[in-house]
């Protein structure tokens, strides 16, 4: 049980690390147009992201995929930017349908990119054969999912407070938060090591 807790905590800290806030920014960008009544859709989106993240780690552990760190570190803020722009331009539009659509596949792809960003570190903390890393990988994924749900819950509470107490419309909340995220992410893209060739 203590080994489970170790990898579960690494997953929690991976998302909730104050110095690596890109994961939290992505979750805010993903969640901002939704409210508590959309909880099923949000849970599905967050889980799809976790599946992509875990799949990338799995492919990396088995040596199937290897991507340059500088490219991944550039793509991570790009995924956040795309998500924020998507919600900036769709704020106030017709309600999102419940079927699988482009946002689910994009979220899966973004999960893969974010997972690749963590893959080198993950491989260094785990010794042994690739198959011996499967159980810790599952424990880590559970920690990621739990931390993501915490972030989403906090965003939904803030959304509720802003929309009920301060009387922001759902559209205005999505616009303000998307613009804020874009403002935070653009400097990350500009400062990316990919430009230093």
């Amino acid at each position: 049980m203590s080994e489970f807790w170790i990898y579960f905590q690494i997953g929690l800290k991976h998302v909730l690390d104050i110095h690596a806030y890109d994961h939290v920014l992505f979750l805010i960008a993903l969640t901002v147009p939704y409210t508590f009544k959309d909880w099923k859709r949000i849970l599905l989106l967050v889980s799809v992201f976790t599946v992509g993240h875990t799949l990338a780690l799995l492919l990396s552990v088995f040596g199937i995929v290897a991507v340059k760190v500088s490219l991944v570190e550039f793509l991570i803020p790009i995924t956040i930017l795309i998500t924020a722009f998507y919600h900036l331009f769709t704020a106030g539009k017709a309600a999102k349908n419940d079927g699988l659509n482009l946002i689910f596949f994009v979220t899966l792809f973004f999960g893969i990119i974010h997972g690749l960003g963590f893959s080198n570190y993950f491989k260094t903390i785990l010794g042994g054969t690739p198959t011996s890393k499967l159980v810790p990988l599952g424990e880590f994924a559970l920690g990621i999912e739990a931390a993501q749900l915490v972030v989403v819950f906090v965003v939904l509470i803030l959304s509720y407070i802003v929309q009920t107490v301060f009387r922001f419309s759902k559209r205005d909340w999505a616009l303000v938060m998307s613009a804020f995220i874009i403002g935070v992410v653009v400097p990350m893209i500009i400062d990316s090591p990919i430009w230093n060739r």
Side-chain angles (χ1 to χ4, degrees):
M1 185 63 172
S2 63
E3 192 171 298
F4 167 82
W5 187 242
I6 290 170
Y7 294 111
F8 184 82
Q9 280 187 313
I10 292 172
L12 285 173
K13 290 176 184 173
H14 172 61
V15 175
L16 301 176
D17 183 2
I18 193 79
H19 302 291
Y21 53 88
D22 57 328
H23 208 124
V24 172
L25 279 176
F26 179 78
L27 290 169
I28 295 169
L30 188 66
T31 308
V32 82
Y34 301 109
T35 60
F36 278 111
K37 69 178 179 156
D38 303 310
W39 70 269
K40 288 180 186 175
R41 183 176 184 84
I42 297 167
L43 181 61
L44 186 57
L45 280 170
V46 168
S47 297
V48 163
F49 183 84
T50 303
V51 166
H53 197 281
T54 306
L55 178 63
L57 290 176
L58 190 64
L59 294 173
S60 177
V61 163
F62 280 95
I64 297 169
V65 173
V67 180
K68 287 178 69 173
V69 173
S70 62
L71 177 62
V72 172
E73 292 301 319
F74 173 72
L75 289 175
I76 287 173
I78 292 292
T79 64
I80 300 166
L81 184 70
I82 291 168
T83 305
F85 266 121
Y86 174 78
H87 291 306
L88 184 73
F89 290 113
T90 59
K93 301 284 193 269
K96 318 257 187 283
N97 61 21
D98 291 330
L100 283 177
N101 60 16
L102 181 63
I103 196 73
F104 286 96
F105 295 106
V106 170
T107 302
L108 178 67
F109 177 69
F110 289 176
I112 291 169
I113 291 172
H114 284 245
L116 290 172
F118 191 69
S119 62
N120 287 335
Y121 175 73
F122 188 77
K123 287 190 289 188
T124 61
I125 62 173
L126 285 177
T129 64
T131 52
S132 70
K133 297 176 184 180
L134 291 177
V135 171
L137 178 60
E139 296 163 346
F140 174 76
L142 288 173
I144 286 178
E145 186 75 358
Q148 290 182 151
L149 292 175
V150 167
V151 171
V152 166
F153 187 70
V154 169
V155 171
L156 289 175
I157 288 173
L158 286 174
S159 176
Y160 177 79
I161 291 169
V162 167
Q163 291 178 46
T164 56
V165 175
F166 298 106
R167 301 288 186 206
F168 268 59
S169 70
K170 188 174 171 182
R171 176 185 169 276
D172 289 348
W173 168 249
L175 287 173
V176 168
M177 289 306 294
S178 296
F180 168 76
I181 291 164
I182 290 166
V184 172
V185 159
V186 167
M188 291 169 67
I189 294 168
I190 292 169
D191 294 340
S192 174
I194 202 164
W195 307 116
N196 303 329
R197 291 196 167 201

